[in-house]
Amino acid sequence: AHASPARSLARPGATSVPSSRMATVTASLPLRAAARAGPAPSRAPPSDAAFFPGRPWQRGLAARGRPREPAGWFRAEALSGGGGGGPPRREPMAPPYNVLITGSTKGIGYALARKFLKAGDNVVICSRSAERVESVRNDLKKEFGEQHVWGTVCDVREGKDVKALVDFARDKLEYIDIWINNAGSNAYSYKPLVETSDEALIEVITTNTLGLMLCCREAINMMWNQPRGGHIFNIDGAGSDGRPTPRFAAYGATKRSVVHLTKSLQAELQMNEVNNVVVHNLSPGMVTTDLLMSGATTKQAKFFINILAETPDVVADYLVPNIREIPTNQSMKPTYIRFLTGLKAYSRIFSRIAFGARRNKYVAED
């Protein structure tokens, strides 16, 4: 569950991040790409060093993450050179998509899972709680069928769990098109940093920062060798734009790091000519989850929750079609999809001040 207060909505509009601004490191050479996908050759595939001569980063990826594909192997290699440059050839993405969502047994993660399933996609859900995973998986299977939803336990703070999640997804679906990093925590704590316990700080930082890094690492390792490539979406939250987050400073700091990590990964992928994996940002705005509502204890918090917050289903109804549009259009450009834009936020604030709109919509202010 993720919450972004009104003051974190300074950038209006849901716009794409242009590649010229994607990173300080930008590839200046035109790219050509050669890709092969198909039956396994009779001879053993070349070594990873042959794939990426002089590129230790990509050789490291290959050594750690190359899947043993039952139906064949895939090579995506970007070559520099003049003339005839273009994006790498790869299998086009087409629905239904295979989707993996972390922290997806409640809140916005659960709502996203249901919306993808309604669209006909296949979904892997996960959570730390085995009981919640089993309960939610069974409910979704009853609604959408046995062969469209799978669930497993995963604590994103543990590298071994995230690796096991990848193995589980490969076993059930062979590949993942869309990976959404939704798992996050505020330790249900809204208090000044000086009053925050060690346990709460460790919970927030290891889940929101370390967990996100582990998931991004394993998702890239998984996707870079898939014939269809893949898209990773990192969910932001309060503090992601650099504005202060009093009473949940640690949470805001971790969410600020989400944007930086996404930009850095975009730069690394471009620098290393990995052209079939893209990392995006996803902003759900203020969502009426347990995490957000546990902080509705001040007059200001109640005011902004009533004005700006929406239910998980409403937010998912907007986000999922916009996410699916990216692979449908074969786009490989980084995007920042926002539900609650600055214009929408200011419009709602004006309506409240002028007409009293949305007063006491979710919590009593008086």
Side-chain angles (χ1 to χ4, degrees):
H2 302 265
S4 299
R7 57 179 177 273
S8 66
L9 302 165
R11 303 187 197 92
T15 58
S16 296
V17 177
S19 58
S20 63
R21 297 173 55 195
M22 181 160 53
T24 56
V25 181
T26 307
S28 59
L29 296 174
L31 299 178
R32 287 183 304 167
R36 295 202 301 265
S42 57
R43 59 182 175 82
S47 68
D48 296 325
F51 273 113
F52 304 113
R55 298 178 191 164
W57 181 86
Q58 287 180 317
R59 291 203 302 272
L61 266 180
R64 294 192 305 273
R66 180 182 299 281
R68 290 179 172 83
E69 296 290 345
W73 57 278
F74 175 78
R75 173 187 178 188
E77 182 179 12
L79 303 174
S80 63
R89 295 191 299 273
R90 59 184 176 275
E91 286 187 8
M93 284 193 182
Y97 300 116
N98 293 343
V99 183
L100 185 152
I101 307 171
T102 66
S104 44
T105 57
K106 60 181 180 178
I108 184 63
Y110 174 73
L112 290 171
R114 291 194 76 256
K115 186 65 177 179
F116 277 112
L117 288 166
K118 284 183 177 180
D121 298 323
N122 306 305
V123 177
V124 173
I125 63 169
C126 66
S127 166
R128 297 179 197 176
S129 167
E131 183 179 353
R132 282 206 306 267
V133 169
E134 183 178 4
S135 175
V136 170
R137 179 189 60 201
N138 290 339
D139 289 345
L140 292 175
K141 281 186 174 182
K142 289 177 184 177
E143 186 174 359
F144 298 103
E146 289 282 333
Q147 299 305 313
H148 294 286
V149 58
W150 292 264
T152 187
V153 175
C154 178
D155 184 343
V156 299
R157 301 171 298 179
E158 300 289 341
K160 60 181 177 56
D161 275 25
V162 182
K163 291 177 186 293
L165 175 64
V166 169
D167 291 340
F168 179 85
R170 281 200 184 118
D171 179 60
K172 301 302 181 183
L173 294 174
E174 295 187 13
Y175 58 87
I176 292 294
D177 297 308
I178 297 169
W179 179 307
I180 299 178
N181 286 315
N182 172 70
S185 175
N186 189 37
Y188 292 95
S189 175
Y190 287 87
K191 60 180 67 175
L193 183 67
V194 295
E195 299 175 11
T196 305
S197 69
D198 292 354
E199 293 76 15
L201 287 174
I202 292 169
E203 159 72 12
V204 172
I205 294 168
T206 55
T207 303
N208 300 357
T209 303
L210 176 61
L212 177 63
M213 290 179 179
L214 292 173
C215 286
C216 284
R217 183 187 69 186
E218 297 308 321
I220 292 171
N221 270 322
M222 180 185 198
M223 290 177 169
W224 78 277
N225 200 46
Q226 294 179 166
R228 291 159 65 111
H231 295 271
I232 302 165
F233 291 85
N234 295 332
I235 291 188
D236 71 7
S240 60
D241 63 353
R243 294 177 183 268
T245 54
R247 295 199 308 140
F248 49 109
Y251 178 89
T254 63
K255 288 304 177 180
R256 180 61 168 168
S257 73
V258 171
V259 178
H260 180 88
L261 178 64
T262 299
K263 290 180 178 179
S264 294
L265 293 176
Q266 290 166 353
E268 287 183 354
L269 292 170
Q270 186 181 41
M271 178 177 65
N272 289 281
E273 298 178 355
V274 177
N275 300 296
N276 65 333
V277 181
V278 188
V279 187
H280 312 266
N281 276 124
L282 194 63
S283 180
M286 297 183 75
V287 187
T288 58
T289 60
D290 293 343
L291 188 153
L292 177 69
M293 303 309 289
S294 67
T297 56
T298 68
K299 183 176 180 180
Q300 184 182 36
K302 294 175 181 178
F303 176 82
F304 283 112
I305 287 172
N306 284 329
I307 294 175
L308 301 178
E310 289 291 357
T311 64
D313 288 339
V314 169
V315 176
D317 284 346
Y318 174 84
L319 291 180
V320 169
N322 281 275
I323 294 169
R324 297 181 84 251
E325 188 176 83
I326 293 171
T328 299
N329 292 339
Q330 309 304 317
S331 173
M332 300 304 288
K333 294 181 179 180
T335 58
Y336 204 135
I337 302 174
R338 294 179 175 87
F339 171 74
L340 185 58
T341 64
L343 180 61
K344 186 186 294 184
Y346 296 136
S347 174
R348 288 188 177 183
I349 292 171
F350 173 79
S351 296
R352 170 57 184 274
I353 294 172
F355 310 111
R358 297 173 69 97
R359 181 182 295 275
N360 302 322
K361 182 174 178 64
Y362 297 112
V363 291
E365 297 179 44
D366 301 325

